[in-house]
Amino acid sequence: MSDNADPTTRNRLDEEESPYLRQHADNPVNWQPWDEQALEAAKERDVPIFLSIGYAACHWCHVMEEESFQDEAVAETLNEHFVPVKVDREERPDVDSVYMSICQQVTGRGGWPLSAWLTPEGKPFYVGTYFPPEEKRGMPGFRDLLEDLSTSWADPEQRDEMENRADQWTDAIESDLEATTGQPGDPEENIIGTAATVAHRGADRDNGGWGSGGPKFPQTGRIHALLRASADGESPSSSGLSGGEQRSPDDDGDDYLAVVEETLNAMADRGLYDHVGGGFHRYSTDSQWGVPHFEKMLYDNAEIPRAFLAGYQAIGNERYAAVVRETFEFVQRELQHEDGGFFSTLDAVSRPPSDPDGETEEGAFYVWTPEQVHDAVDDEAAAEIFCEYYGVTDRGNFEGQTVLGVRKPLHVIAEERDLTEDEATEKLQQALDEAFAAREERPRPARDEKILAGWNGLMISTLAEGAIVLDEEYADVAADALDFVQEHLWDADAGRLSRRYKDGDVAIDGYLEDYAFLGRGALNLFEATGDVTHLDFAMDLADAVIEAFWDDEAETLYFTPTGGESLVARPQELTDQSTPSSTGVAVSLLLSLSHFRDDDRFGDVAEKVVRTHADRISSNPLEHASLTLATDEYEQGSLELTLVCDPSDPPAEWTETLASTYVPRRLLAWRPADAESLDTWLATIELDDEPPIWAGRNAAESDPTVYACRNFACSPPKHDFDAALRWGRE
């Protein structure tokens, strides 16, 4: 390869649309995107690949860039002895999955930036996450590490050892990501009860959530499992207790709800939540949920509010509804494209308000000092109440400043100040409004404006559920986003979905999560609106899931499409990570849509996936939370609620009951009352005959009618929605 033909002689990231990759376009490192040119260059030069994976809002990615990738000496070593490749994990979760697998197996932990050294064939032989520039607290220095690895690669004997290790590690990746273990079988009976028992036993009853130390992540799948088990009348199982543990007298279904309530309260009241502007940060760095990692991700601000909506229905705490409304306001205000789609992330760092031209600092946009509060809030008493309620002190709880979190009940503050609680609430709201206005003048965190199909699907699902539970207008916001994705990322003729849109540029074949998450969003929007075109799109996506990701021989769904780019392994995504398991969501989607088909294809594939992975799910239901929830739906069956009426004008009693009632495994199936409209619907979803969920379920006495059905048994036609739900719970 001549120098002129060698792409590694320059940094090529200025040609990319990913904001994360473009952040590194001015590094002296000759970064390459993950493409055939870069991989071929490594083979031609016979040097290892240095793979660095991160994302735009990743704090430690920025740190490693500043410390190492902007260093001329480090860049010289990387450029001379390696092919440096930079990957945005949000664009290429398949590449991230492969190399994160071996990082977790070898080091016992993962995270970003992910740093991996690969043979020219892409096989890893050294992995880690963040490396400091010099040796620090047992971590090797990045500069020394580069020198050591390049020296070893140049030594034939040591290179043989490195390549042998690479072969062994590649086998380990394949075993972890590709294998389907054991013989297909039935999952453990009452899997949701087992999951809830384990979640209950492991809960942090002092601080909410799970885990005794930091960091502490939202675990929304566990919340949904606890809510389902509680609604089923389950109780914490004494069989799940270890020797010597005593079961508490209040260990019953209500105690499942208590764990949910403790967790939701902690996430809503403490530092994970943005009390001024709404929305959730990525995770808490401590066990008390006090100080977050400040990045804001679209997927968190979809999945966490979805859990709050379920908690609101089950528990009735109005604070949960308020948190969802405020989060939706944040998402629309700060993460929505003018044409409806949703952007990906907000950065954790920004320039401090005291030095708008200075260096960026983590959390600078979100933290407060007493002086800043008093400058922002005109009314002295309101400012004092704000500081007292949210714990804003001179000392602070984060680098001399304060991350807001509820520190003292408002009724106590009111009593101490000789105010009514309403008066104290009014002053607090006044202070919040003025603090928000002042904060809007601060330098803002950077926004990653790529629009991802799958993440938009998560947001569409939650907005659709918000339309059912809180306000039907949220369905319009969801529909705008779905229209955007369909217009820009869906190829109807080919039946294929692209993953990413950025400033008019469409790229990357969709992964299983894109199809599954968006399919669930379209189905949920049909449930919220009765618009059959959304159901039709969900069916198209489900068909594509089977065509592109289903392997008939292995009886599983892979994360990457058949015929897609060949990596060292073809991953499955069975466990919940920062987003739900795409396999779990796909199985749930196929099970739900099987009710609308006149064949068994969707249900057969879903059943085979559940049986293929039954041992994994049964042995660790919480690690496979989304698959566990889908398996529960397979075991128990959905509660079909066929609503025979004009979807644009349902009885008020129906919508009020739906809004206020937590119904596990609920599947809403609108059906027009007149034959002509039904024929139009059937034509839209390309069916000749009524599918099972509509067949024979006609309007009784020409009035709006609801049928509740489960496992091939149905209630008599009812006009009273509460009566139908009572039948479904018997």
Side-chain angles (χ1 to χ4, degrees):
M1 177 182 291
S2 69
D3 287 345
N4 291 336
D6 184 356
T8 67
T9 58
R10 64 184 181 86
N11 186 320
R12 293 169 54 217
L13 298 189
D14 60 351
E15 302 165 5
E16 298 298 307
E17 289 296 333
S18 160
Y20 173 64
L21 298 187
R22 293 182 73 89
Q23 286 172 0
H24 294 265
D26 61 354
N27 293 166
V29 177
N30 289 339
W31 288 116
Q32 308 294 298
W34 180 277
D35 64 8
E36 198 60 38
Q37 281 184 273
L39 303 181
E40 284 299 319
K43 294 175 184 176
E44 289 277 353
R45 290 176 52 193
D46 194 31
V47 296
I49 296 165
F50 168 63
L51 176 64
S52 177
I53 303 178
Y55 57 101
C58 167
H59 173 67
W60 288 102
C61 300
H62 296 314
V63 172
M64 194 165 177
E65 179 193 15
E66 292 171 5
E67 292 177 340
S68 296
F69 302 147
Q70 292 180 358
D71 184 286
E72 294 285 351
V74 169
E76 183 177 353
T77 302
L78 274 172
N79 296 339
E80 181 176 352
H81 298 291
F82 303 88
V83 170
V85 174
K86 180 65 74 171
V87 166
D88 182 342
R89 79 167 183 96
E90 296 170 354
E91 286 197 342
R92 294 300 305 266
D94 55 335
V95 175
D96 179 59
S97 174
V98 165
Y99 297 107
M100 185 61 74
S101 167
I102 197 61
C103 182
Q104 291 172 329
Q105 290 183 65
V106 170
T107 69
R109 62 188 180 90
W112 298 277
L114 175 61
S115 302
W117 284 261
L118 322 176
T119 68
E121 294 73 33
K123 298 179 179 181
F125 59 83
Y126 197 93
V127 289
T129 53
Y130 162 79
F131 289 100
E134 309 291 345
E135 182 180 359
K136 184 178 182 181
R137 292 196 292 272
M139 290 187 290
F142 188 65
R143 299 185 185 113
D144 291 340
L145 185 57
L146 290 177
E147 294 287 350
D148 290 345
L149 291 175
S150 64
T151 299
S152 297
W153 185 262
D155 180 284
E157 186 174 338
Q158 293 187 62
R159 176 167 172 172
D160 281 345
E161 293 179 6
M162 297 163 85
E163 290 179 333
N164 287 335
R165 185 190 316 145
D167 289 337
Q168 294 170 8
W169 284 10
T170 299
D171 290 342
I173 294 171
E174 291 175 347
S175 177
D176 181 37
L177 297 181
E178 286 193 13
T180 54
T181 58
Q183 295 297 317
D186 292 323
E188 178 181 315
E189 192 173 334
N190 189 21
I191 190 68
I192 206 68
T194 300
T197 296
V198 177
H200 175 270
R201 187 177 62 214
D204 180 350
R205 303 305 300 271
D206 295 322
N207 299 301
W210 290 269
S212 57
K216 185 173 278 187
F217 289 84
Q219 302 277 0
T220 57
R222 302 182 184 197
I223 293 171
H224 290 297
L226 288 163
L227 288 170
R228 282 192 193 179
S230 176
D232 289 345
E234 295 282 345
S235 61
S237 171
S238 58
S239 64
L241 301 176
S242 61
E245 283 187 86
Q246 296 296 313
R247 184 173 167 184
S248 169
D250 64 348
D251 275 355
D252 54 21
D254 288 342
D255 206 39
Y256 282 156
L257 281 187
V259 171
V260 171
E261 192 166 16
E262 290 158 6
T263 300
L264 294 179
N265 288 349
M267 290 197 293
D269 288 346
R270 301 180 197 165
L272 190 75
Y273 186 65
D274 178 358
H275 296 271
V276 170
F280 289 90
H281 300 292
R282 177 69 192 94
Y283 61 84
S284 172
T285 61
D286 61 288
S287 63
Q288 291 81 31
W289 302 93
V291 176
H293 193 32
F294 290 93
E295 62 203 33
K296 284 184 172 181
M297 320 297 288
L298 179 63
Y299 56 74
D300 286 321
N301 286 286
E303 287 299 288
I304 298 174
R306 190 162 163 262
F308 270 84
L309 285 167
Y312 173 60
Q313 288 183 306
I315 297 168
N317 187 335
E318 289 294 334
R319 170 70 176 140
Y320 301 165
V323 163
V324 174
R325 290 189 183 97
E326 291 163 7
T327 299
F328 285 170
E329 288 176 14
F330 152 71
V331 169
Q332 290 178 259
R333 184 180 67 244
E334 299 191 36
L335 288 178
Q336 190 167 27
H337 187 283
E338 61 182 5
D339 293 330
F342 295 107
F343 301 127
S344 294
T345 66
L346 292 181
D347 215 332
V349 301
S350 58
R351 291 183 173 84
S354 59
D355 186 9
D357 298 319
E359 295 295 319
T360 59
E361 297 177 3
E362 187 174 8
F365 186 72
Y366 301 102
V367 295
W368 295 85
T369 64
E371 181 182 4
Q372 289 172 331
V373 173
H374 284 275
D375 286 345
V377 180
D378 288 337
D379 183 275
E380 184 69 17
E384 290 175 357
I385 288 173
F386 182 100
C387 289
E388 196 169 355
Y389 184 70
Y390 289 120
V392 183
T393 63
D394 290 326
R395 182 177 180 181
N397 62 354
F398 177 73
E399 299 179 0
Q401 300 175 89
T402 299
V403 178
L404 303 185
V406 177
R407 298 297 193 277
K408 182 185 288 190
L410 195 58
H411 70 87
V412 174
I413 295 174
E415 184 177 342
E416 291 174 348
R417 292 177 173 273
D418 198 23
L419 299 170
T420 67
E421 192 167 348
D422 285 345
E423 289 171 335
T425 300
E426 183 178 349
K427 286 191 175 293
L428 179 62
Q429 187 59 56
Q430 174 190 342
L432 277 167
D433 292 342
E434 294 183 31
F436 175 82
R439 199 178 76 172
E440 286 293 283
E441 301 302 316
R442 294 180 175 183
R444 302 189 67 82
R447 181 169 67 186
D448 185 332
E449 295 190 349
K450 65 176 178 288
I451 293 172
L452 300 175
W455 294 12
N456 272 253
L458 296 177
M459 196 69 234
I460 290 164
S461 279
T462 301
L463 286 162
E465 188 67 13
I468 293 171
V469 177
L470 300 179
D471 189 330
E472 63 183 14
E473 291 185 2
Y474 292 130
D476 295 332
V477 183
D480 287 344
L482 190 63
D483 289 346
F484 184 98
V485 175
Q486 280 187 265
E487 178 183 351
H488 295 288
L489 294 173
W490 174 245
D491 183 336
D493 293 333
R496 287 294 179 266
L497 185 66
S498 294
R499 176 166 176 80
R500 188 264 289 154
Y501 172 94
K502 174 69 168 61
D503 293 336
D505 183 72
V506 173
I508 308 169
D509 292 339
Y511 301 104
L512 179 60
E513 75 169 37
D514 296 299
Y515 289 83
F517 295 174
L518 192 63
R520 185 178 69 175
L523 172 61
N524 293 157
L525 193 52
F526 166 71
E527 292 184 283
T529 64
D531 184 337
V532 73
T533 63
H534 301 321
L535 175 63
D536 180 52
F537 186 40
M539 302 273 271
D540 288 343
L541 289 165
D543 281 325
V545 163
I546 294 176
E547 184 178 341
F549 302 96
W550 168 246
D551 187 299
D552 211 23
E553 183 177 343
E555 296 193 335
T556 193
L557 291 165
Y558 285 101
F559 186 73
T560 55
T562 302
E565 181 183 345
S566 179
L567 302 175
V568 296
R570 187 183 182 193
Q572 302 170 88
E573 188 180 64
L574 306 177
T575 60
D576 286 30
Q577 303 292 335
S578 52
T579 53
S581 154
S582 55
T583 306
V585 174
V587 169
S588 179
L589 175 67
L590 292 171
L591 287 170
S592 295
L593 290 177
S594 67
H595 297 267
F596 296 93
R597 286 287 289 255
D598 54 4
D599 60 49
D600 296 327
R601 181 63 168 154
F602 288 170
D604 284 348
V605 168
E607 178 180 5
K608 287 175 180 176
V609 175
V610 167
R611 288 177 55 80
T612 293
H613 301 294
D615 285 348
R616 291 177 188 253
I617 300 165
S618 298
S619 64
N620 197 334
L622 295 187
E623 183 177 331
H624 303 86
S626 292
L627 257 176
T628 295
L629 294 169
T631 300
D632 171 58
E633 291 157 17
Y634 163 73
E635 283 185 333
Q636 302 296 329
S638 296
L639 177 59
E640 304 168 15
L641 296 171
T642 303
L643 311 176
V644 188
C645 67
D646 177 357
S648 67
D649 188 27
E653 179 255 329
W654 289 15
T655 56
E656 290 167 3
T657 301
L658 272 173
S660 61
T661 309
Y662 176 74
V663 183
R665 311 171 197 90
R666 180 200 69 201
L667 177 61
L668 298 181
W670 300 90
R671 179 192 188 276
D674 64 285
E676 183 178 351
S677 296
L678 181 59
D679 287 342
T680 301
W681 280 34
L682 291 173
T684 300
I685 61 174
E686 300 180 352
L687 291 181
D688 295 326
D689 299 313
E690 298 174 50
I693 202 165
W694 291 339
R697 301 178 190 178
N698 303 310
E701 302 169 356
S702 301
D703 289 330
T705 305
V706 59
Y707 294 80
C709 305
R710 175 178 277 130
N711 294 331
F712 309 106
C714 290
S715 70
K718 296 182 181 297
H719 306 302
D720 184 326
F721 200 91
D722 279 318
L725 283 182
R726 284 195 298 273
W727 181 93
R729 290 172 169 176
E730 291 175 354

